[in-house]
């Protein structure tokens, strides 16, 4: 009896895990499709030190002071990869919040193993597109 219970739990846990993973995969695919349809480059294909236009969703927004200067950082995910958007000298920007979708344009660089874009131009997408 104990063996069946364990097997049943694994079966249920496996189904839940597949269900959650598939939701994440579906969301990533939708983000990739949205970016492609808008004429933006997938982050997975962006080369270092190139100017790009990318589109995605902000997964985190934090204030990270750099040498005594405020810097607002936001991680943008487009379904294929991520880039950290950094606005130097800013503590906050209206509309830059977790879950917000936007288009950003700027030069991508790699700093300490992560991709960054400093002071990008950005366009907040309308609330109906979120």
């Amino acid at each position: 009896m104990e063996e069946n219970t364990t097997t049943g739990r694994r079966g249920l846990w496996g189904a839940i895990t597949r269900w959650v993973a598939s939701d994440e995969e579906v969301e990533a695919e939708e983000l990739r499709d949205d970016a492609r349809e808008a004429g933006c480059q997938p982050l997975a294909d962006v080369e270092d030190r190139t100017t790009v236009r990318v589109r995605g969703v902000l997964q985190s927004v934090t204030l990270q002071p750099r040498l005594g200067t405020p810097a607002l950082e936001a991680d943008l995910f487009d379904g294929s990869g991520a880039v950290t958007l950094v606005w130097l000298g800013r503590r906050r920007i209206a509309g830059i919040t977790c879950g917000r979708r936007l288009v950003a344009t700027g030069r991508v660089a790699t700093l300490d193993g992560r991709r960054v874009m400093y002071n990008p131009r950005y366009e907040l997408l309308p609330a109906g597109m979120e």
Side-chain angles (χ1 to χ4, degrees), residues 16-71:
I16 291 170
T17 303
R18 284 189 303 276
W19 178 69
V20 170
S22 66
D23 280 352
E24 291 171 2
E25 290 170 4
V26 168
E27 182 179 351
E29 185 176 344
E30 288 173 357
L31 287 170
R32 287 189 301 270
D33 290 346
D34 287 348
R36 185 176 48 253
E37 289 171 10
C40 296
Q41 293 174 273
L43 283 164
D45 298 341
V46 171
E47 294 183 24
D48 202 23
R49 292 178 279 164
T50 58
T51 301
V52 296
R53 183 171 182 256
V54 295
R55 176 180 171 144
V57 63
L58 297 177
Q59 292 187 317
S60 68
V61 178
T62 58
L63 178 62
Q64 296 290 333
R66 294 173 181 260
L67 301 173
T69 302

Side-chain angles (χ1 to χ4, degrees), residues 24 33 52 70 78 87 92 110 118:
E24 291 171 2
D33 290 346
V52 296
D78 76 345
W87 289 277
R92 55 185 184 113
T110 302
Y118 286 97

